[in-house]
Amino acid sequence: MTVTATSVDASDQLEPEAAPVSRLARLVRLVPAAVAALSGVLLYVSFPPRTLWWLALPAFACFGWVLRGRSWKAGLGLGYLFGLGFLLPLLVWTGVEVGPVPWIALVVVEAIFVALVGAGITAVSKLPAWPVWAAALWIAGEAVRARVPFHGFPWGKIAFGQADGVFLPLAAAGGTPVLGFGVVLCGFGLYEVVRLVLEGRRARVVRRSAAAVALLSVAVPVVGAVAARSLVSDKAEDGTTTVALIQGNVPRAGLEFNAQRRAVLDYHVKETLRLAAKVKAGKVAKPDVVLWPENSSDVDPFADAQAYTDIDAAAKAIGAPISVGGVVERDGKLYNEQILWDPVKGPTSAYDKRQIQPFGEYLPMRSLLGAINKNWTSMVRQDFSRGTKPGVFTMNGAKIGLVTCYEAAFDWAVRSEVTDGAQLISVPSNNATFDRSEMTYQQLAMSRVRAVEHSRTVTVPVTSGVSAIIMPDGRITQKTGMFVADSLVQKVPLRSSETPATRLGILPEIALVLVAAGGLGWAIGAGVRRRRAGDV
């Protein structure tokens, strides 16, 4: 009895000390999860409208720290948290018009791709030169995300956060995959350098090969970017053209849908007439080319006589061809179309948007979504149809390639215009439905990357801002404010030479995907051999 009593007393004395230790252990186990999520947030902060591009490096360094040496299941969870931390704030603009449910659903799905990449990185992190395999895996994840589901969603590619960064010239060398690979490799390499330094202090020994790989992972992207600066130029090769961008603005409130469409057209006609008056008064140079934004005429000018008359009057007043963004119905199908409107001949050519936006311009799984919520199907009453050909307008001798809004995120859509002969790229957009969110600035950064990638002047006419003129070296030379009526006029260079990125096209991306697959195969094979050796 006495022994039993003594045993109970001893147990009671231990419990108060054991409980804090247990709580501390649980908190320590949560550190990797917290770091993964916060690293994702740090990556988001590196994106526009902020110019903190360099924060992408510590973001991936921390991500490398939480993943290295862990199981693939842990990598899956930590990768998902990293994806949520990055994409939730980055894509919040998608819910401005339709509420939080589509925004959260989009992020939940897109973060799965980041989770799979995280699982892959844990596997290759045990290999020699692991930062190379890990960075290639990230680009492979971006490649998949740009294609599925529903023809892909490349928003948030690492390259699109680097418009102000030192790595930007890499876009001219190999496009967005090479630019993104350089940034991610440098971030993982930075962690590996720190890890080896700390390990060397403890063990007083550092493997030379590992140290060399770590240093090269940091140095090669930087040196490559410096070397690639020779590919970046804003010199005219085919003369110049004077472009005018028209930002007509949109009604802020108080109009029902059909009336608002008419008002937007009227605003763009009015701003063009105002510019024509300035030209006549000698206040600004006469433009050779006039560019209106996407949806500047949602009233079909081929079905509405007044819309046709108004656009035609604007073209005649300015005395230059206009690229008009219209919504056109043809043979029972709806198209998001750019119309080449000549001041003498009227409408002569058209480009139909090829990469249309799921849930915005067409509704996948319409019957299923309608069964869940009829309001969702009413927002997209009729699906837009896809165009099939590149759009390059010849406007007063200049070849203008059209990349309509959402298409600017897709490598193939921009490149096809350049390989089809475009000397200048125009990205007509309509960001009015996203209010004053960061979406406009994120898309503007994409256009800056595209300018360097293909060495072309890029113009961005937008309904409500920010409209901008971007030089082939990625510099913004003029831009408007948001929700104001304005116009921009500038003489810009025309160029026809092709960068390595333009010539190579998809090949760098394929090469990096193969590198990722090779590293993953090596890691899986090594793991199988280790398990067999253990069984023996």
Side-chain angles (χ1 to χ4, degrees):
M1 292 293 292
T2 305
V3 172
T4 302
T6 304
S7 174
V8 171
D9 290 343
S11 175
D12 289 342
Q13 289 174 358
L14 288 171
E15 282 181 6
E17 295 180 6
V21 172
S22 176
R23 284 195 294 270
L24 180 60
R26 285 197 295 269
L27 288 173
V28 169
R29 284 196 295 269
L30 289 176
V31 169
V35 171
L38 291 173
S39 297
V41 175
L42 191 64
L43 181 59
Y44 154 70
V45 175
S46 75
F47 271 65
R50 294 156 296 277
T51 57
L52 303 173
W53 57 270
W54 53 271
L55 286 179
L57 303 183
F60 278 103
C62 292
F63 192 40
W65 174 72
V66 299
L67 292 179
R68 189 179 182 280
R70 296 187 184 275
S71 70
W72 70 267
K73 291 181 181 178
L76 198 68
L78 293 168
Y80 197 76
L81 289 172
F82 183 83
L84 291 179
F86 173 45
L87 295 171
L88 268 172
L90 185 80
L91 302 178
V92 67
W93 52 267
T94 59
V96 168
E97 184 73 13
V98 294
V101 174
W103 160 49
I104 293 172
L106 173 64
V107 171
V108 165
V109 171
E110 292 297 308
I112 292 172
F113 295 99
V114 184
L116 293 172
V117 169
I121 291 174
T122 58
V124 300
S125 70
K126 303 175 180 69
L127 299 177
W130 74 267
V132 176
W133 312 112
L137 272 168
W138 182 274
I139 299 306
E142 288 189 344
V144 175
R145 200 159 65 85
R147 290 164 175 81
V148 294
F150 313 125
H151 299 275
F153 186 73
W155 218 279
K157 291 179 80 168
I158 299 305
F160 297 149
Q162 296 296 309
D164 291 292
V166 298
F167 297 101
L168 180 59
L170 290 174
T176 60
V178 169
L179 172 53
F181 176 76
V183 174
V184 180
L185 176 62
C186 196
F188 285 145
L190 186 64
Y191 160 64
E192 184 69 351
V193 168
V194 173
R195 185 184 74 82
L196 290 174
V197 168
L198 295 177
E199 186 178 274
R201 286 182 177 179
R202 288 195 301 269
R204 297 181 182 275
V205 176
V206 176
R207 296 190 310 277
R208 289 183 180 181
S209 59
V213 169
L215 290 172
L216 286 172
S217 297
V218 176
V220 168
V222 176
V223 173
V226 172
R229 291 182 65 179
S230 63
L231 302 173
V232 180
S233 173
D234 63 354
K235 298 293 187 294
E237 295 175 332
D238 303 302
T240 61
T241 191
T242 300
V243 298
L245 278 59
I246 301 297
Q247 179 175 301
N249 203 8
V250 298
R252 295 188 182 227
L255 292 176
E256 58 91 26
F257 182 66
N258 288 330
Q260 179 155 321
R261 290 190 301 177
R262 172 67 66 178
V264 171
L265 172 58
D266 290 344
Y267 286 3
H268 285 82
V269 169
K270 184 178 179 180
E271 189 59 34
T272 306
L273 295 176
R274 184 181 293 120
L275 177 61
K278 291 180 182 178
V279 170
K280 188 175 181 180
K283 295 180 180 179
V284 295
K286 184 180 185 303
D288 301 309
V289 172
V290 179
L291 303 169
W292 283 14
E294 179 189 32
N295 299 121
S296 47
S297 180
D298 277 358
V299 180
D300 185 347
F302 302 109
D304 188 296
Q306 187 60 53
Y308 187 106
T309 299
D310 291 345
I311 296 170
D312 201 53
K316 284 180 167 59
I318 197 67
I322 303 177
S323 178
V324 177
V327 173
V328 174
E329 187 169 353
R330 188 168 58 251
D331 300 326
K333 296 180 179 179
L334 208 58
Y335 294 93
N336 186 337
E337 191 166 88
Q338 287 291 312
I339 307 162
L340 175 53
W341 207 289
D342 187 85
V344 177
K345 300 176 183 178
T348 59
S349 301
Y351 166 64
D352 298 321
K353 188 176 182 180
R354 293 170 292 167
Q355 187 72 40
I356 56 177
Q357 183 181 349
F359 305 100
E361 293 171 307
Y362 78 99
L363 203 60
M365 306 179 296
R366 180 177 286 275
S367 57
L368 175 62
L369 291 174
I372 298 172
N373 189 330
K374 290 183 179 180
N375 290 331
W376 292 349
T377 56
S378 66
M379 287 189 292
V380 186
R381 293 184 176 87
Q382 182 179 351
D383 291 343
F384 280 81
S385 295
R386 298 175 184 275
T388 57
K389 298 177 181 178
V392 179
F393 290 167
T394 300
M395 304 175 72
N396 266 336
K399 294 181 178 180
I400 314 295
L402 284 305
V403 180
T404 306
C405 196
Y406 183 59
E407 292 182 317
F410 294 83
D411 294 350
W412 66 267
V414 184
R415 179 177 179 268
S416 66
E417 310 301 72
V418 179
T419 56
D420 206 47
Q423 299 165 308
L424 180 151
I425 299 169
S426 183
V427 185
S429 303
N430 175 23
N431 301 337
T433 52
F434 303 113
D435 201 31
R436 296 180 181 273
S437 71
E438 294 182 357
M439 183 271 188
T440 294
Y441 302 101
Q442 292 171 9
Q443 191 177 56
L444 186 60
M446 289 181 196
S447 296
R448 294 178 63 192
V449 172
R450 298 305 185 190
V452 173
E453 182 179 16
H454 298 292
S455 195
R456 294 293 187 272
T457 298
V458 176
T459 60
V460 187
V462 185
T463 49
S464 58
V466 174
S467 298
I469 297 174
I470 304 166
M471 290 293 99
D473 60 4
R475 289 179 300 116
I476 295 175
T477 52
Q478 288 193 62
K479 64 180 180 179
T480 68
M482 294 186 73
F483 291 98
V484 293
D486 204 352
S487 61
L488 303 175
V489 180
Q490 184 175 320
K491 182 183 289 187
V492 298
L494 298 175
R495 293 177 58 85
S496 56
S497 63
E498 293 186 351
T499 63
T502 307
R503 291 193 296 271
L504 291 170
I506 197 175
L507 292 179
E509 186 176 58
I510 291 174
L512 289 169
V513 169
L514 291 176
V515 169
L520 202 55
W522 183 9
I524 292 171
V528 170
R529 287 191 294 272
R530 281 196 299 269
R531 284 194 295 272
R532 286 177 179 173
D535 292 340
V536 173

